[in-house]
Amino acid sequence: MSSLDLSGCKKRKREERTFRFQSFGEKGCPIEFDGSSFIENLKRLLECGQVEGSWGSGFPTWSFQMEISRQPPIYKLLWVVEEDVNALSGRYCKHCLYVGWGENLICNKKYHFLLPFKESNAKEVSLNYGDDDDADHYHPTRPMHGIIHSNGFGHLLCINGVELGSELPGFQIMDFWDRICTGLRARKVSLIDTSLKRGMELRLLHGLAYGEPWFGSWGYKFSRGSFGITPPMYKKAIETLQGIPLLLLTNLSDTIISDHEIPMILSRYQSFSNHSLVTLGDIFHFMSQLEKRIPKDNININIDPISTSGGLPGASCRWSSKRVEMATRVIVDALKKVRYRWISRQEVRDAARAYIGDTGLLDFVLKSLGNHIVGNFLVRRCLNPVTKVLEYSLEDMSKLHPSQDLNIARPSSITRGQVMKDMACLYKFIFGQTCNPNVNNNNNNNTVLAMKRVVLDSKHFIKEYNLEIPSEAEGKVGLFCTVSWKGSSSAHPPYECFMLQENTTVDDLKFKVEATFQELYWGMKGFAAESVVNINGKGADLVLGKVHAGTELIVEGRLGPEMAGEGIYEGSMAMKSKIVECACGAIVDDGERMVTCDICEVWQHTRCVGIPDDEPVPSIFLCKICEARILLSPSLL
């Protein structure tokens, strides 16, 4: 295992280009992101970054300075590190193996995207390489760490929000990561969800409330579970837990003296709701929505919205409330048109004057509008620390305080902390490991614990981006090509888009495909393209005379002799050396702790063979089959 040390980075220069965190990755910020592949867009993006040189183990590094907040001024660095597989002792990606991408070809390069907590902690940023299974990927000093291979397949390794010391909430970091993946045209991104919220398993808590994991808000869907869990099992477990009647919880709490507050919690939130809360899914959904709608105690904004019946709260003036409201809407519309960028007060005023001729009214509204909520938007105002000019910006509050559930009558007597405390109490009562012996034998209780285990064993989630690539642009025509070679037993690599001119020949196409796949994949270094399988043409024949835009083609060739017998797939080593046959149904390595039989060398989960997680793996282990054979064969004793 080697690490990358960024301690030698030079001090940031004030004139260095700065990017707005809230819009980084959108079209035009900082590039158009109109390339046809991940690697093409990434190369253009890195041209906008500051080259930091090669640090630590010699990997090229770039940085992007992000403006998190204008007032107070908060900046954060995004690090992008290019990792060359040829410089590593272990070239296989275990994350690809665990998520089911073992048949993907090993890429020449992968790119790390990191956000450290603070710039002063840059020296603490390190990357763990190799096959060390004990590497802590959920690093406590990183709000974000993601990896994307050069073919567009990636892994989100960690997201750490406010609870772990970040200046940014988790959803803003996820928005940032998703914009990067979308803009760069990532293909698929996986993650392992072990997130916690106030000590509660978030995938269980969010699954109860919304029927999907927290990451589902960004399109991540269940991929595969540990211990043989399948998508139908996961879906059934979520539906079963959501459908548990609340009446059952009340009856159970009557048998446990210490849990007399459960009926009080259920009654409290039923009184807050305008509709009946019948099931476990109903109560967790309601509490989750209510918690999001109650502002934090230390929020530093005016949360009194500008209503349709009046003007700015607490403001008295000579203009009618209707005119103040109209001027406010014009100013908000002007801020919307600049896509939430910070613009000067003069620019806002000039844009609004096209609709409001009374400059005195505009000056009054601009003076009173700072840090006020208008509808679903927060109007921010601050002094630019460099230009000393007053600037305005708009922030979408619908993500901070969702209001999709209009059946919530927010009480004035409950705080956000109290809602979380009640939710944790209810969670512990239902899913706590220590249960009353009388309840523990109850069939309903056993069902709850079994369904809980299924959900917690469902950790692998994947998002498929499926971004459309235009088949024609700027006089060029796009074709999609992949490669095959003799002796290939696995599926073809993903198709790559090639934009061709009208005079491109078959030989030109073969050369382009050969060069592209050699650049992308480690095992394709010596690949030589020989023919295009589904084109009836050779050599100097024009390609576009044979096929139309958007056609998928296969270029056949042969691998270089140096790759003969080499494991060129991400799962090559595991497929050769690790046979998995577990009682839970697992037949591949899913990343959970395993033990191998010393006779048949078959791997099984330690949990499935009765070895507790807090106990070490025994030095000698026999599976039940081999143990039975020995007992039936006295000569072996």
Side-chain angles (χ1 to χ4, degrees):
M1 181 177 69
S2 59
S3 63
L4 176 70
D5 182 10
L6 303 178
S7 58
C9 297
K10 53 182 174 290
K11 188 175 181 180
R12 318 307 302 176
K13 295 181 180 179
R14 186 169 183 176
E15 64 271 14
E16 180 184 347
R17 186 176 179 185
T18 301
F19 306 94
R20 190 161 184 255
F21 180 84
Q22 286 78 5
S23 58
F24 188 84
E26 293 179 353
K27 191 174 181 63
C29 185
I31 62 173
E32 290 301 318
F33 294 104
D34 54 0
S36 60
S37 67
F38 164 78
I39 199 67
E40 182 180 349
N41 285 308
L42 180 68
K43 288 178 179 179
R44 296 177 185 176
L45 176 65
L46 295 181
E47 291 176 358
C48 300
Q50 177 158 316
V51 179
E52 301 288 355
S54 299
W55 307 98
S57 53
F59 296 125
T61 306
W62 296 261
S63 67
F64 297 81
Q65 182 162 268
M66 300 290 165
E67 179 189 73
I68 306 299
S69 170
R70 181 68 59 86
Q71 188 66 33
I74 300 176
Y75 298 91
K76 186 177 290 294
L77 291 178
L78 168 68
W79 297 94
V80 182
V81 183
E82 180 185 81
E83 179 183 29
D84 192 334
V85 70
N86 293 291
L88 306 179
S89 58
R91 58 178 174 268
Y92 302 104
C93 175
K94 61 185 176 186
H95 304 292
C96 284
L97 175 64
Y98 297 159
V99 82
W101 298 342
E103 292 189 348
N104 283 10
L105 289 171
I106 298 172
C107 291
N108 279 316
K109 295 177 181 179
K110 55 185 174 183
Y111 297 84
H112 294 256
F113 297 81
L114 302 105
L115 284 176
F117 273 127
K118 297 179 181 178
E119 185 177 349
S120 58
N121 286 344
K123 62 183 180 181
E124 300 175 10
V125 176
S126 63
L127 302 179
N128 291 319
Y129 301 120
D131 297 324
D132 182 2
D133 290 335
D134 296 326
D136 183 13
H137 300 292
Y138 294 84
H139 204 288
T141 61
R142 298 177 193 149
M144 187 195 83
H145 184 182
I147 296 175
I148 306 181
H149 298 275
S150 54
N151 63 353
F153 286 78
H155 315 283
L156 178 58
L157 301 186
C158 76
I159 287 288
N160 292 317
V162 174
E163 286 191 23
L164 291 176
S166 173
E167 303 97 331
L168 296 164
F171 77 86
Q172 287 189 7
I173 302 175
M174 271 303 301
D175 284 343
F176 178 71
W177 169 252
D178 196 53
R179 289 196 304 271
I180 289 176
C181 293
T182 301
L184 293 177
R185 290 192 179 276
R187 281 193 167 96
K188 295 181 182 181
V189 176
S190 75
L191 60 86
I192 300 177
D193 185 3
T194 57
S195 308
L196 298 175
K197 182 174 184 178
R198 305 290 180 87
M200 297 177 282
E201 296 281 356
L202 188 56
R203 61 190 181 283
L204 183 57
L205 185 65
H206 207 274
L208 276 171
Y210 302 101
E212 63 178 10
W214 181 74
F215 295 98
S217 301
W218 291 270
Y220 286 84
K221 300 183 182 301
F222 176 78
S223 165
R224 64 189 298 184
S226 303
F227 304 100
I229 302 300
T230 61
M233 294 169 64
Y234 171 73
K235 182 180 179 182
K236 182 65 175 178
I238 290 290
E239 291 175 349
T240 300
L241 292 174
Q242 284 185 310
I244 294 175
L246 295 182
L247 182 61
L248 180 63
L249 300 185
T250 304
N251 293 338
L252 286 177
S253 66
D254 291 339
T255 67
I256 307 177
I257 297 177
S258 61
D259 286 308
H260 61 276
E261 61 181 317
I262 297 301
M264 295 176 58
I265 292 175
L266 299 181
S267 176
R268 178 183 302 142
Y269 291 94
Q270 182 65 75
S271 67
F272 294 157
S273 175
N274 293 331
H275 65 282
S276 297
L277 304 177
V278 180
T279 66
L280 200 59
D282 292 340
I283 186 71
F284 273 97
H285 177 79
F286 179 82
M287 295 173 78
S288 178
Q289 288 293 102
L290 180 61
E291 185 264 340
K292 290 178 180 178
R293 293 192 65 189
I294 299 176
K296 295 181 180 179
D297 296 335
N298 60 350
I299 191 165
N300 192 28
I301 62 174
N302 187 335
I303 61 173
D304 295 324
I306 297 176
S307 65
T308 57
S309 60
L312 293 164
S316 59
C317 62
R318 69 175 188 263
W319 294 277
S320 67
S321 60
K322 186 175 182 180
R323 292 192 66 192
V324 171
E325 182 183 353
M326 181 180 296
T328 300
R329 290 180 176 175
V330 168
I331 290 173
V332 170
D333 288 341
L335 292 172
K336 286 181 183 178
K337 290 179 181 179
V338 297
R339 299 178 65 183
Y340 311 110
R341 290 186 294 106
W342 285 93
I343 60 174
S344 68
R345 179 185 180 279
Q346 188 62 45
E347 289 178 279
V348 180
R349 191 173 185 269
D350 291 343
R353 282 199 64 186
Y355 304 93
I356 304 293
D358 190 338
T359 56
L361 172 60
L362 290 177
D363 290 339
F364 169 77
V365 174
L366 285 170
K367 181 180 179 180
S368 308
L369 197 57
N371 294 338
H372 272 79
I373 293 177
V374 183
N376 289 330
F377 299 95
L378 170 64
V379 181
R380 294 259 185 207
R381 181 183 64 189
C382 76
L383 190 68
N384 189 311
V386 178
T387 63
K388 306 302 180 183
V389 173
L390 201 60
E391 295 185 347
Y392 288 78
S393 178
L394 207 60
E395 182 175 335
D396 189 349
M397 293 291 289
S398 62
K399 293 182 179 179
L400 286 173
H401 305 291
S403 56
Q404 296 92 334
D405 191 344
L406 301 180
N407 292 317
I408 295 177
R410 177 190 158 193
S412 58
S413 60
I414 194 167
T415 64
R416 198 172 192 175
Q418 183 62 49
V419 175
M420 287 305 304
K421 182 179 178 182
D422 290 342
M423 193 181 297
C425 181
L426 193 57
Y427 178 96
K428 183 178 180 181
F429 171 74
I430 300 167
F431 302 114
Q433 294 296 327
T434 56
C435 300
N436 184 284
N438 295 326
V439 180
N440 199 35
N441 294 327
N442 187 285
N443 289 333
N444 292 320
N445 192 65
N446 292 335
T447 299
V448 169
L449 294 180
M451 294 301 100
K452 168 195 171 183
R453 176 46 56 194
V454 170
V455 174
L456 294 185
D457 286 340
S458 304
K459 298 184 252 186
H460 296 277
F461 297 89
I462 290 177
K463 177 172 181 179
E464 296 188 34
Y465 282 85
N466 294 326
L467 300 175
E468 293 186 5
I469 300 176
S471 56
E472 296 185 30
E474 300 179 355
K476 296 182 179 180
V477 176
L479 300 179
F480 298 91
C481 301
T482 187
V483 297
S484 67
W485 58 92
K486 295 178 181 178
S488 173
S489 57
S490 299
H492 301 303
Y495 284 86
E496 299 292 335
C497 181
F498 294 85
M499 304 302 295
L500 307 181
Q501 298 179 341
E502 294 183 357
N503 60 349
T504 301
T505 65
V506 173
D507 281 344
D508 293 334
L509 176 62
K510 289 193 296 183
F511 177 79
K512 287 177 179 289
V513 172
E514 182 180 292
T516 297
F517 281 81
Q518 285 179 353
E519 178 186 10
L520 289 178
Y521 298 107
W522 175 80
M524 307 291 291
K525 292 177 182 177
F527 177 78
E530 296 177 338
S531 62
V532 183
V533 175
N534 36 357
I535 283 186
N536 186 20
K538 296 182 179 180
D541 293 344
L542 297 179
V543 174
L544 300 184
K546 306 291 183 179
V547 295
H548 57 80
T551 299
E552 294 183 349
L553 301 175
I554 299 176
V555 176
E556 196 173 60
R558 52 184 170 78
L559 296 179
E562 68 276 11
M563 290 295 109
E566 290 286 339
I568 62 175
Y569 300 99
E570 295 288 7
S572 296
M573 185 62 68
M575 288 186 283
K576 287 181 179 179
S577 62
K578 207 167 190 176
I579 301 174
V580 178
E581 290 181 9
C582 190
C584 66
I587 57 174
V588 294
D589 190 352
D590 55 13
E592 302 294 340
R593 194 173 72 145
M594 289 187 167
V595 62
T596 181
C597 176
D598 288 291
I599 294 180
C600 65
E601 297 184 345
V602 171
W603 291 80
Q604 300 179 76
H605 295 116
T606 53
R607 192 178 90 183
C608 295
V609 297
I611 303 174
D613 291 340
D614 56 356
E615 291 185 7
V617 176
S619 56
I620 298 177
F621 174 77
L622 300 181
C623 67
K624 290 184 177 180
I625 295 177
C626 292
E627 188 177 25
R629 287 175 179 171
I630 291 176
L631 293 176
L632 293 175
S633 303
S635 60
L636 298 178
L637 296 175

